[in-house]
Amino acid sequence: MSIQKNKSKIGFYIILPSLILIGIFVYYFIFWTIRTSFSDWNSFSKLLKGIYNFVGFRNYQRIFLDERFQTDLWNTLFFTIFFIAGSIGLGLFLANLIDKGLKGSRFFQSLFLFPMAIAFVVTGTVWSWIFAPGNIPKDPQGINLLFKNLGLEKLQWLWYTSSESVGKFNLALIPVIIAAIWQMSGYIMAMYLAGLKAIPNEILEAAKVDGANDRYIFWKIKMPLLKPITLSTMIVLGHVSLKIFDLIYAMTGSGPNNVTDVPAIYMFELTFRSNRYALGSAISVIMLLMVAVIIIPYLYSSLRRGVS
Amino acid sequence: MKKLFLGLIVVLLIFSSVFAASNDLEIFSWWTGGGEEEGLLALFAKFNQYYPNINIINAAVAGGAGTNAKAVLKTRMLGGNPPDSFQVHAGMELTDTYVIPGLMEPLTNYLKEWGVYDKFPKDVMEIVSYQGEVYSIPVNVHRGNVVFYNKKIFRELGLTKEPTTWAEFFDAMKKAQEAGYIPLALGDKNKWTLTHLFENIMLSVFGSDGYKGLFTGKTSFDSPELEMSLVLLERMIPYFNRDHSALTWQDAGRLVFEGKALFNVMGDWEEGYFKTLGWKPDVDFGWFALPGTDNAFMFISDTFGLPKGAPHRENALKWLKFIATKEAQDIFNPIKGSIPARIDADKSRYDVYLTWSMNDFAKVSVVPSIIHGSAAPEGFVTTLNDALNRFIVKKNISNTLRDIIWAAEDQGYLTE
């Protein structure tokens, strides 16, 4: 018993430094950002003087009335939906293909996982070349050039420089979503593959003996067993998409009329370009809340599971 | 034995840092690539010939137009850890952020003591001053209101005379479009190039005095000229390359270089870019001031200032005195591809384009650039960027006017 106690004591001292560092550099700074978001620090000299004027929710009011931030929220919503659906759909499809154990599946397994090892900045730069429209129809670039050479001129499009939208959905987001799915679906595949491998063969065989076809096995047996994996992939993808910055910054910037703008880019420009620290902090806090809406229920359920 | 060895290293480190600290000079800039870095290093080398004992620390932070460097600098100034001297664009970028809060030392008396105060044009001294005191020393000057053009296309279209009026300019663009060329290349992926074009249009419409007056309260933002500027910009939209929002300024310059586009409005760093691509000034490419702006010089200048509490103030003063000399400016500028801020520089060291620019600089009116931080605070610049970014898609003149006027009001520019 005392050894046990001693052990946990040592353990505590080992993690103490990181607890302190996390306390300062994560939680204290979260607190400080929240405090800044309620101040009038919208110029460098006000911040420097350090006189704290509490202005209540004025910064939040201004930011929600801001046309650009409204676009950002719609962009985030649509990006999140299509990015998560696309990554999970493609990841699941690839995992099932590879799980069938066809020839060369090991090779493709590493190939699909490969994009995961690349930074979003690199992905963004490369896909910005692929989807750069050029001067269509005469002098296209990237994928438009491919269409021209294949005689498919009708498919040429402005891609991420398009300012069309359907409802609130800016079509320029499509190339960005494709790039993001390309980056993340390999990782989702790996997670599902692990899940599929963990399903005991007996269950599947028993189902086969009972005369279930492949589709029935997939939807009624495999998918329910993979539910925890689907949940955790959604969490991972959800928080990636809510705070996405580097991919879009490198690929399109904020686009004409902010068609591909997201809160993180607006926050960056407000804070570090125009010295509006309070407004930038307000966006940061909103982003934190959006991520919290996803993460907290997940943490809650996994903690409860851990206890029971 | 091991402990002794470690102890020795620690002692050595402490001593070396103490000695090194006594005669350092930390120069902060965003000159990390191409001609800029070479020019800076050439300056350092010359400086060290005069002061061999001073150890220069080159605290350069990479990132185009100083976007990253500025954030780093702000953090350092806020934390009370300023470099000895730092690069900053002349004018509001320095004044609004650092001078008004009282973080900089005035340099007027030093300039007079060194006998160089009257070696800079009066307009320039005005831009780097706040309430009668000079706060930074310009090392170079760029001109923003220049149209570069592809000479081959120009001849092919049968054009002989560079356009001096808007009618001629639009006429040339129309000809280019009919012949299947892009009339006016634009690359506004990073937004600022569109604002760069617009501020030059504003200069043309307001005239140089009217434009300057916008930032001193003599001209109102709420005047018909602003609307006329937007109307002119709107007329240009059909002449842009359609993919402008996918390109950077270099990509746009490349369209001219590759013979796909006729004109590009850019600062004269594009001349340096063309030269690195292998083009010869006045042979392969030509240039002229944007119509209505040939009597004005849209001024973009890199300057160095002296922050209060600079750790090596004496060395910093030596540095500032050095970069204000004719010799230093003539070393730096031919390499960087800009002209010296002094009016008495040695013209034989500069190429045909830079000589043209120098001649104009000495005789026409110097006006501050908005987008390059001389005329207005950074908050106004970002709002203007955003307003124009929406305008180019929505073409809504009244909304854009409202946004610009509100931003001007925020900065206290709307005097009536």
Side-chain angles (χ1 to χ4, degrees):
Chain A
M1 193 59 203
S2 75
I3 294 173
Q4 200 66 29
K5 217 175 171 184
N6 230 345
K7 255 191 182 167
S8 67
K9 220 176 178 181
I10 293 172
F12 177 72
Y13 283 120
I14 288 174
I15 60 166
L16 185 65
S18 51
L19 278 183
I20 293 173
L21 291 177
I22 289 173
I24 296 172
F25 290 107
V26 178
Y27 294 101
Y28 177 70
F29 282 151
I30 289 177
F31 159 75
W32 192 259
T33 307
I34 294 173
R35 187 173 179 264
T36 308
S37 74
F38 288 111
S39 74
D40 64 345
W41 291 348
N42 277 323
S43 76
F44 189 69
S45 60
K46 275 192 180 153
L47 176 73
L48 196 80
K49 282 178 194 142
I51 304 164
Y52 188 82
N53 287 324
F54 182 80
V55 297
F57 283 93
R58 206 180 68 195
N59 291 312
Y60 291 92
Q61 256 172 9
R62 271 189 76 169
I63 216 67
F64 278 113
L65 287 176
D66 188 327
E67 212 180 315
R68 178 167 172 188
F69 190 67
Q70 289 167 5
T71 315
D72 291 354
L73 290 179
W74 284 110
N75 282 349
T76 304
L77 177 74
F78 286 112
F79 181 81
T80 307
I81 292 173
F82 291 114
F83 169 59
I84 292 182
S87 299
I88 288 184
L90 187 62
L92 195 57
F93 175 72
L94 293 175
N96 270 293
L97 271 188
I98 284 172
D99 193 45
K100 289 210 169 91
L102 302 172
K103 215 174 162 193
S105 60
R106 270 190 164 269
F107 168 74
F108 282 102
Q109 186 180 336
S110 1
L111 189 75
F112 294 144
L113 196 55
F114 190 61
M116 186 62 196
I118 301 171
F120 263 133
V121 178
V122 180
T123 310
T125 309
V126 172
W127 283 92
S128 80
W129 296 331
I130 294 175
F131 285 123
N135 257 320
I136 51 173
K138 225 188 63 191
D139 186 21
Q141 274 178 27
I143 200 164
N144 281 345
L145 183 64
L146 185 74
F147 287 151
K148 189 188 173 194
N149 292 343
L150 293 175
L152 297 166
E153 267 100 347
K154 279 202 178 129
L155 289 177
Q156 289 186 353
W157 189 48
L158 287 167
W159 300 106
Y160 58 79
T161 65
S162 154
S163 51
E164 299 160 73
S165 58
V166 176
K168 295 280 181 184
F169 176 56
N170 293 319
L171 297 183
L173 280 174
I174 294 172
V176 183
I177 292 168
I178 292 175
I181 291 176
W182 179 83
Q183 169 107 8
M184 292 304 284
S185 56
Y187 168 69
I188 305 304
M189 170 206 76
M191 291 196 35
Y192 275 120
L193 205 52
L196 286 169
K197 294 258 196 276
I199 296 175
N201 247 336
E202 292 82 22
I203 298 179
L204 302 178
E205 270 161 23
K208 265 184 208 153
V209 170
D210 286 347
N213 60 13
D214 276 0
R215 189 192 283 176
Y216 186 88
I217 290 177
F218 178 77
W219 286 111
K220 298 283 168 167
I221 297 173
K222 284 182 179 171
M223 278 313 282
L225 287 170
L226 291 173
K227 219 168 138 191
I229 292 180
T230 307
L231 188 67
S232 49
T233 52
M234 280 175 81
I235 301 290
V236 170
L237 294 173
H239 93 271
V240 165
S241 86
L242 289 178
K243 59 180 201 194
I244 191 131
F245 172 82
D246 33 9
L247 175 78
I248 297 182
Y249 194 73
M251 189 168 165
T252 63
S254 45
N257 195 23
N258 300 316
V259 282
T260 60
D261 198 43
V262 286
I265 292 182
Y266 195 24
M267 188 280 281
F268 172 77
E269 285 188 6
L270 278 176
T271 314
F272 298 109
R273 294 250 170 96
S274 53
N275 299 342
R276 293 190 179 110
Y277 301 95
L279 282 174
S281 301
I283 297 187
S284 309
V285 172
I286 295 166
M287 285 170 65
L288 179 73
L289 290 176
M290 292 196 303
V291 175
V293 165
I294 292 193
I295 298 286
I296 288 175
Y298 174 72
L299 284 180
Y300 181 72
S301 75
S302 61
L303 278 178
R304 217 179 43 180
R305 224 181 302 143
V307 170
S308 68
Chain B
M1 188 62 204
K2 217 175 181 181
K3 261 188 185 164
L4 188 78
F5 187 65
L6 270 175
L8 259 174
I9 288 184
V10 169
V11 170
L12 214 77
L13 276 175
I14 290 170
F15 268 94
S16 64
S17 64
V18 166
F19 280 120
S22 62
N23 215 5
D24 279 347
L25 170 64
E26 191 187 9
I27 302 293
F28 186 97
S29 74
W30 58 79
W31 287 329
T32 54
E36 330 181 308
E37 190 188 14
E38 271 173 59
L40 184 67
L41 295 178
L43 272 186
F44 287 166
K46 195 76 197 170
F47 183 76
N48 267 336
Q49 273 181 24
Y50 292 115
Y51 307 100
N53 297 324
I54 295 178
N55 173 36
I56 298 180
I57 301 168
N58 181 7
V61 176
T67 39
N68 303 330
K70 284 179 201 168
V72 173
L73 182 65
K74 276 172 204 161
T75 321
R76 290 189 57 173
M77 296 293 277
L78 198 61
N81 174 31
D84 293 312
S85 184
F86 59 85
Q87 175 200 4
V88 65
H89 286 135
M92 280 315 273
E93 194 179 302
L94 175 72
T95 312
D96 182 60
T97 314
Y98 301 116
V99 176
I100 295 174
L103 293 174
M104 305 300 292
E105 283 195 43
L107 299 167
T108 326
N109 288 335
Y110 292 108
L111 283 170
K112 286 186 176 151
E113 190 188 312
W114 300 332
V116 293
Y117 185 82
D118 51 355
K119 297 286 190 284
F120 295 92
K122 249 179 109 187
D123 294 336
V124 172
M125 285 286 120
E126 222 168 82
I127 292 171
V128 294
S129 296
Y130 175 67
Q131 295 186 342
E133 293 276 4
V134 174
Y135 280 93
S136 66
I137 297 176
V139 281
N140 69 348
V141 171
H142 283 295
R143 187 176 195 174
N145 54 325
V146 191
V147 186
F148 290 93
Y149 66 92
N150 183 316
K151 279 210 146 180
K152 203 174 138 249
I153 302 179
F154 200 73
R155 278 193 302 267
E156 200 185 302
L157 296 175
L159 297 164
T160 47
K161 183 176 151 286
E162 285 157 0
T164 51
T165 64
W166 283 110
E168 287 167 4
F169 191 73
F170 276 101
D171 195 47
M173 288 205 291
K174 215 170 164 193
K175 274 190 182 141
Q177 195 164 50
E178 277 157 9
Y181 294 108
I182 299 161
L184 182 59
L186 176 73
D188 65 338
K189 182 178 171 187
N190 301 324
K191 289 187 187 166
W192 65 265
T193 43
L194 180 61
T195 315
H196 181 107
L197 172 64
F198 185 66
E199 72 175 8
N200 288 318
I201 296 174
M202 275 170 72
L203 174 62
S204 171
V205 177
F206 278 94
S208 62
D209 285 336
Y211 172 85
K212 263 200 282 191
L214 287 170
F215 310 102
T216 57
K218 281 180 193 138
T219 317
S220 175
F221 265 89
D222 199 2
S223 51
E225 280 92 345
L226 189 63
E227 189 176 344
M228 283 160 64
S229 308
L230 283 174
V231 172
L232 255 181
L233 180 63
E234 195 189 357
R235 266 182 73 195
M236 284 183 190
I237 294 175
Y239 296 108
F240 295 144
N241 40 310
R242 275 185 85 188
D243 62 340
H244 57 85
S245 62
L247 308 183
T248 62
W249 75 264
Q250 286 101 332
D251 299 330
R254 244 197 131 81
L255 288 176
V256 176
F257 173 76
E258 284 168 354
K260 290 176 181 166
L262 174 64
F263 293 137
N264 183 217
V265 177
M266 197 25 66
D268 57 12
W269 44 91
E270 181 147 285
E271 196 248 350
Y273 179 61
F274 281 152
K275 281 198 294 190
T276 55
L277 291 175
W279 255 14
K280 282 205 174 59
D282 214 20
V283 177
D284 301 301
F285 67 95
W287 59 86
F288 56 93
L290 196 75
T293 69
D294 55 344
N295 59 354
F297 193 102
M298 185 63 85
F299 171 80
I300 295 133
S301 168
D302 291 302
T303 68
F304 282 87
L306 180 63
K308 276 184 188 160
H312 311 93
R313 192 172 170 278
E314 287 309 307
N315 290 347
L317 279 171
K318 283 175 191 153
W319 164 256
L320 292 174
K321 186 180 177 183
F322 169 70
I323 57 167
T325 61
K326 201 171 124 176
E327 184 190 20
Q329 303 221 339
D330 278 339
I331 290 173
F332 178 72
N333 287 303
I335 306 176
K336 160 106 163 71
S338 48
I339 67 171
R342 287 174 63 127
I343 34 186
D344 55 352
D346 177 6
K347 282 193 184 137
S348 65
R349 289 164 154 261
Y350 298 86
D351 70 26
V352 45
Y353 170 82
L354 292 173
T355 315
W356 170 79
S357 179
M358 279 166 86
N359 287 338
D360 269 11
F361 181 60
K363 65 175 193 254
V364 303
S365 170
V366 173
V367 297
S369 156
I370 304 171
I371 189 66
H372 301 285
S374 303
E378 290 170 304
F380 179 77
V381 179
T382 341
T383 315
L384 183 60
N385 272 345
D386 257 1
L388 293 173
N389 181 260
R390 276 198 291 272
F391 177 73
I392 201 167
V393 174
K394 296 199 164 170
K395 295 170 192 154
N396 187 329
I397 289 185
S398 58
N399 278 358
T400 312
L401 271 177
R402 188 200 62 201
D403 288 345
I404 298 175
I405 289 168
W406 277 358
E409 210 169 32
D410 270 358
Q411 306 294 343
Y413 284 147
L414 206 67
T415 49
E416 204 62 65

